[in-house]
Amino acid sequence: MLKKLGLISIATASAFAMNSAEININDKDLEATLSIDLGQVNKNVEPDTTFISFRALKGSDDHSTDKNADIKSFYEVNFLMIREFKTTGFKIGMGVKANYTGNANDDVFVTIPLGLETRYTIPAEVPVTIGANIYYAPESLSLADANSFTEYRAFVNAEIIENASVVVGYRAIYTEYKVNGVKADLNLNKYGYFGFKFNF
């Protein structure tokens, strides 16, 4: 009997372990993210709590502060631990990223920002999740020609069919370079987006 209950508990926990793939677009930008739930690959990790994500953003000059910046693609790897606060539907997480991009002068931008993420799922017939993220890297976490990094993001996901959501959001990514002792700010991307997110 206990063995059967244990198997049921494991199966129930596994049902909440979800990898995800997300693609976001607007008139100029393309963003793709793959997130791996470590609870699916490591039995010692609680499902739906620890993630590694890979993101690529191909942004447009039109959505930066410099219309002639020749914006390069932006890449990042993110490690996130997130937990639900009791059984409220509210989650808070702590993350660390490693990102990479460049500019028209062939300067290399690498930072390791730290951040917080929050999510709240509204219990309804169509589940809706509201979330916000903030990540920051000061000079001490900046490498190569980077001086600092800041990112803000807010989004709403509506799960219109099981394990598939429509996403609407807004992101702002700021990079600061330091080359030959001179600091240069570049708003890498600041715009809204919409897209799809699939859990599997």
Side-chain angles (χ1 to χ4, degrees):
M1 182 65 177
L2 290 175
K3 184 177 181 181
K4 185 179 289 187
L5 288 174
L7 290 173
I8 291 171
S9 298
I10 291 170
T12 302
S14 297
F16 293 99
M18 287 289 183
N19 302 319
S20 66
E22 184 174 341
I23 184 165
N24 297 318
I25 61 170
N26 54 39
D27 60 331
K28 300 284 187 177
D29 307 322
L30 172 63
E31 180 182 48
T33 304
L34 175 65
S35 184
I36 306 299
D37 184 341
L38 294 183
Q40 287 206 40
V41 296
N42 186 340
K43 65 180 181 180
N44 296 318
V45 177
E46 184 181 349
D48 200 30
T49 61
T50 309
F51 299 87
I52 292 180
S53 301
F54 307 89
R55 176 165 64 126
L57 170 65
K58 183 170 177 52
S60 168
D61 302 355
D62 294 340
H63 295 162
S64 76
T65 50
D66 187 347
K67 305 304 181 187
N68 301 307
D70 187 22
I71 297 295
K72 305 296 183 182
S73 294
F74 176 84
Y75 304 97
E76 75 171 22
V77 178
N78 182 19
F79 177 79
L80 172 69
M81 294 189 71
I82 190 165
R83 297 287 190 278
E84 183 175 6
F85 182 72
K86 297 182 178 178
T87 56
T88 60
F90 177 77
K91 293 183 176 182
I92 187 164
M94 298 184 297
V96 57
K97 298 184 179 187
N99 55 37
Y100 166 84
T101 188
N103 62 19
N105 298 322
D106 294 326
D107 299 320
V108 176
F109 186 94
V110 179
T111 62
I112 307 172
L114 307 178
L116 295 174
E117 302 197 15
T118 60
R119 300 173 192 166
Y120 176 69
T121 300
I122 301 171
E125 187 173 343
V126 177
V128 174
T129 299
I130 302 169
N133 308 339
I134 179 170
Y135 280 83
Y136 174 67
E139 186 175 354
S140 58
L141 295 175
S142 302
L143 308 173
D145 300 313
N147 192 68
S148 70
F149 171 87
T150 307
E151 178 182 5
Y152 306 98
R153 182 181 297 258
F155 60 88
V156 177
N157 294 356
E159 189 177 7
I160 57 172
I161 61 176
E162 188 176 3
N163 295 331
S165 303
V166 173
V167 182
V168 177
Y170 184 86
R171 64 175 169 254
I173 301 173
Y174 301 92
T175 57
E176 183 180 67
Y177 290 79
K178 186 175 182 180
V179 182
N180 298 323
V182 178
K183 296 180 182 179
D185 292 329
L186 175 61
N187 182 342
L188 187 73
N189 193 267
K190 187 177 181 181
Y191 215 74
Y193 60 84
F194 70 95
F196 296 150
K197 181 176 182 179
F198 303 99
N199 296 322
F200 56 93

